[in-house]
């Protein structure tokens, strides 16, 4: 890791200037991830229940659909990365994809919950078409949010701060969904869950679309390649930025490990509290307290001025391990579980707040090493590690909903 950090410092020499970002631009960048999570959290957290208990699909069929969608996820990120590298507009390479993709993403997400009356096979086909389309369009919107970070500024600290705004925006978007979705479904549906989910998703999609437009309008891509000119890169040229890029390999591995552990903790926690501790009443409290990861993320811009990213990541992982040990030692003690959750959550916030900033740093190194600035393929391909880690983690949780 020390060698990798030294390599990243060399890579910084590849860019021409250090651009400061306004508060408006940082906030607008964070709102893009808030918009993503307003829509996608509904899909990832509640769609299984919606398909099986509201729309009437079989659990086995839904499980197969989810598995197939994961395979599609594995290939859409690098495809969009290549497309971004080949894009060359007055708005930049990444920003136009947010504009182009946000409208269809919002529309498809609404249609996903429309629930038309069809035959059993028709319902399944409808679910396949719109669920896979929603996942692909999510990648089309969310990947550019990540790939544009190295183009917003060549100042590493500015990128770290901007990424913190994004991570917090994403956390806030997810929190809003988890706190308001079920009451909105009950209120807007007036006893009809089908209508409740449809109207609620329509509301979230409209708000999310507005936030995407705010992100597009108030952000800029400033950093050009070494030659000082925009490039429309071929696949072969883009791949040159990966060859010998040790920081990119390390960050990709970190993404796999981090999200493997993160998703395992989330998916196993409800079962641990419900069946091992026999305390299902604390599930909501502990899940809400997990949001203290935001505190760790908020600390990143300040700590990164004094400590290296490597040190912060190791420290964060160490703090998370301490939190898990507190829970283990505490046994059935609720106070110890709460304390361990808070400590562990803060620890997770440090690597969580740095992962995408590190991806941006690997773009600088790739340009220094190869002369090719290929943020699309580098960041999107590194994102495969995140999807691998998320997909490898056992996730058998099913939301317990009580809608009247």
């Amino acid at each position: 890791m020390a060698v990798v950090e030294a390599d990243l410092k060399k890579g910084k020499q590849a860019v021409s200037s250090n651009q400061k970002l306004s508060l408006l631009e940082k906030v607008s960048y964070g709102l893009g991830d808030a918009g993503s999570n307003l829509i996608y959290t509904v899909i990832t957290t509640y769609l299984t229940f919606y398909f099986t208990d509201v729309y009437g699909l079989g659990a086995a069929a839904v499980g197969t659909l989810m598995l197939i969608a994961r395979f599609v996820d594995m290939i859409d990120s690098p495809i969009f990365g290549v497309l971004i590298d080949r894009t060359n507009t007055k708005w930049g390479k990444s920003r136009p994809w947010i504009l182009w993709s946000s409208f269809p993403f919002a529309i498809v997400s609404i249609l996903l919950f429309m629930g038309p009356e069809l035959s059993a096979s028709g319902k399944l086909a409808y679910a396949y078409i719109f669920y896979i389309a929603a996942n692909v369009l999510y990648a089309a919107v969310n990947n550019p949010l990540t790939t544009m970070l190295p183009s917003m500024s060549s100042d590493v600290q500015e990128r770290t701060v901007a990424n913190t705004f994004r991570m917090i925006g994403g956390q806030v978007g997810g929190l809003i969904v988890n706190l308001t979705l079920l009451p909105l479904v009950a209120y807007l549906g007036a006893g009809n869950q089908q209508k409740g989910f449809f109207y609620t998703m329509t509301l979230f999609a409209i708000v999310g679309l507005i936030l995407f437009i705010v992100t597009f309008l108030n952000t800029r891509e400033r950093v050009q390649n070494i030659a000082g000119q925009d490039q429309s890169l071929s696949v072969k040229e883009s791949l040159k930025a990966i060859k010998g890029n040790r920081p990119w390999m390390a960050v990709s591995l970190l993404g796999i490990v981090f999200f493997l552990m993160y998703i395992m903790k989330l998916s196993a926690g409800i079962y641990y509290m419900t069946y091992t501790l026999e305390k299902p009443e604390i599930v909501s409290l502990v899940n809400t307290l997990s949001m203290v990861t935001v505190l760790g993320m908020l600390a990143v811009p300040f700590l990164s001025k004094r400590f290296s990213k490597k040190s912060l990541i190791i420290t964060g992982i160490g703090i998370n391990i301490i939190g898990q040990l507190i829970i283990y030692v505490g046994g059935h003690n609720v106070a110890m579980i709460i304390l361990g959750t808070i400590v562990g959550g803060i620890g997770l916030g440090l690597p969580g707040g740095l992962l995408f900033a590190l991806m941006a740093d690997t773009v600088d190194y790739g340009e220094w090493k190869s002369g090719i600035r290929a943020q699309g393929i580098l960041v999107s391909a590194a994102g495969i590690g995140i999807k691998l880690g998320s997909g490898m983690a056992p996730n058998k949780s099913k939301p317990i909903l009580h809608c009247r």
Side-chain angles (χ1 to χ4, degrees), residues 272 321-333 336-337:
Y272 176 72
I321 291 173
I322 292 173
Q324 295 302 107
L325 289 174
I326 291 174
I327 294 174
Y328 177 76
V329 172
H332 289 217
N333 188 303
M336 293 290 282
I337 294 171

Short mmCIF file of all heavy atoms in Angstrom, two decimals, residues 272 321-333 336-337:
data_model
loop_
_atom_site.label_atom_id
_atom_site.label_comp_id
_atom_site.label_asym_id
_atom_site.label_seq_id
_atom_site.Cartn_x
_atom_site.Cartn_y
_atom_site.Cartn_z
N TYR A 272 -29.22 -12.18 13.09
CA TYR A 272 -28.48 -12.31 14.35
C TYR A 272 -29.31 -11.75 15.51
O TYR A 272 -29.44 -12.38 16.56
CB TYR A 272 -27.15 -11.56 14.24
CG TYR A 272 -26.34 -11.55 15.52
CD1 TYR A 272 -25.71 -12.69 15.98
CD2 TYR A 272 -26.21 -10.38 16.27
CE1 TYR A 272 -24.97 -12.68 17.15
CE2 TYR A 272 -25.48 -10.35 17.43
CZ TYR A 272 -24.85 -11.51 17.88
OH TYR A 272 -24.13 -11.50 19.05
N ILE A 321 -13.41 -3.21 13.45
CA ILE A 321 -13.16 -4.50 14.12
C ILE A 321 -13.41 -4.38 15.63
O ILE A 321 -14.00 -5.27 16.25
CB ILE A 321 -11.72 -4.97 13.83
CG1 ILE A 321 -11.59 -5.35 12.35
CG2 ILE A 321 -11.35 -6.15 14.73
CD1 ILE A 321 -10.17 -5.67 11.93
N ILE A 322 -12.98 -3.26 16.21
CA ILE A 322 -13.22 -3.03 17.64
C ILE A 322 -14.72 -3.01 17.93
O ILE A 322 -15.20 -3.59 18.91
CB ILE A 322 -12.56 -1.72 18.10
CG1 ILE A 322 -11.03 -1.84 18.05
CG2 ILE A 322 -13.02 -1.35 19.52
CD1 ILE A 322 -10.31 -0.54 18.32
N GLY A 323 -15.48 -2.34 17.03
CA GLY A 323 -16.93 -2.30 17.20
C GLY A 323 -17.55 -3.69 17.17
O GLY A 323 -18.43 -4.01 17.98
N GLN A 324 -17.08 -4.53 16.25
CA GLN A 324 -17.60 -5.89 16.17
C GLN A 324 -17.23 -6.72 17.41
O GLN A 324 -18.02 -7.53 17.88
CB GLN A 324 -17.05 -6.58 14.91
CG GLN A 324 -17.51 -5.96 13.60
CD GLN A 324 -19.02 -5.94 13.48
OE1 GLN A 324 -19.67 -4.90 13.58
NE2 GLN A 324 -19.61 -7.10 13.27
N LEU A 325 -16.03 -6.48 17.93
CA LEU A 325 -15.61 -7.19 19.14
C LEU A 325 -16.46 -6.78 20.34
O LEU A 325 -16.78 -7.60 21.20
CB LEU A 325 -14.13 -6.92 19.42
CG LEU A 325 -13.13 -7.60 18.46
CD1 LEU A 325 -11.71 -7.13 18.77
CD2 LEU A 325 -13.23 -9.12 18.57
N ILE A 326 -16.83 -5.49 20.39
CA ILE A 326 -17.69 -5.02 21.48
C ILE A 326 -19.03 -5.75 21.45
O ILE A 326 -19.55 -6.18 22.48
CB ILE A 326 -17.89 -3.49 21.38
CG1 ILE A 326 -16.59 -2.76 21.69
CG2 ILE A 326 -18.99 -3.03 22.35
CD1 ILE A 326 -16.66 -1.26 21.47
N ILE A 327 -19.59 -5.90 20.23
CA ILE A 327 -20.85 -6.62 20.09
C ILE A 327 -20.69 -8.07 20.52
O ILE A 327 -21.55 -8.63 21.22
CB ILE A 327 -21.35 -6.54 18.62
CG1 ILE A 327 -21.71 -5.10 18.26
CG2 ILE A 327 -22.55 -7.46 18.40
CD1 ILE A 327 -22.06 -4.89 16.80
N TYR A 328 -19.57 -8.70 20.11
CA TYR A 328 -19.34 -10.11 20.45
C TYR A 328 -19.18 -10.30 21.95
O TYR A 328 -19.80 -11.19 22.55
CB TYR A 328 -18.09 -10.60 19.72
CG TYR A 328 -17.71 -12.03 20.06
CD1 TYR A 328 -18.42 -13.10 19.53
CD2 TYR A 328 -16.64 -12.29 20.92
CE1 TYR A 328 -18.08 -14.40 19.85
CE2 TYR A 328 -16.29 -13.59 21.24
CZ TYR A 328 -17.01 -14.65 20.70
OH TYR A 328 -16.68 -15.94 21.02
N VAL A 329 -18.36 -9.46 22.57
CA VAL A 329 -18.12 -9.58 24.01
C VAL A 329 -19.39 -9.25 24.80
O VAL A 329 -19.66 -9.85 25.84
CB VAL A 329 -16.96 -8.65 24.44
CG1 VAL A 329 -16.82 -8.62 25.96
CG2 VAL A 329 -15.65 -9.11 23.80
N GLY A 330 -20.18 -8.32 24.29
CA GLY A 330 -21.38 -7.90 24.99
C GLY A 330 -22.47 -8.94 25.05
O GLY A 330 -23.38 -8.86 25.89
N GLY A 331 -22.41 -9.93 24.16
CA GLY A 331 -23.41 -10.98 24.17
C GLY A 331 -24.81 -10.44 23.93
O GLY A 331 -25.07 -9.82 22.91
N HIS A 332 -25.72 -10.65 24.89
CA HIS A 332 -27.11 -10.23 24.75
C HIS A 332 -27.37 -8.85 25.34
O HIS A 332 -28.53 -8.43 25.43
CB HIS A 332 -28.03 -11.25 25.42
CG HIS A 332 -28.12 -12.54 24.66
ND1 HIS A 332 -29.29 -13.26 24.56
CD2 HIS A 332 -27.20 -13.25 23.95
CE1 HIS A 332 -29.08 -14.35 23.84
NE2 HIS A 332 -27.81 -14.37 23.48
N ASN A 333 -26.32 -8.16 25.74
CA ASN A 333 -26.47 -6.84 26.34
C ASN A 333 -26.77 -5.81 25.25
O ASN A 333 -25.94 -5.53 24.40
CB ASN A 333 -25.19 -6.46 27.10
CG ASN A 333 -25.35 -5.20 27.91
OD1 ASN A 333 -25.69 -4.16 27.38
ND2 ASN A 333 -25.10 -5.30 29.21
N MET A 336 -24.36 -2.81 24.90
CA MET A 336 -23.10 -3.15 24.23
C MET A 336 -23.30 -3.28 22.72
O MET A 336 -22.43 -2.90 21.93
CB MET A 336 -22.54 -4.45 24.81
CG MET A 336 -22.11 -4.35 26.26
SD MET A 336 -20.61 -3.34 26.45
CE MET A 336 -19.36 -4.53 25.94
N ILE A 337 -24.45 -3.81 22.31
CA ILE A 337 -24.75 -3.92 20.88
C ILE A 337 -24.84 -2.54 20.26
O ILE A 337 -24.29 -2.28 19.17
CB ILE A 337 -26.06 -4.70 20.67
CG1 ILE A 337 -25.90 -6.15 21.12
CG2 ILE A 337 -26.49 -4.64 19.20
CD1 ILE A 337 -27.20 -6.93 21.15
#
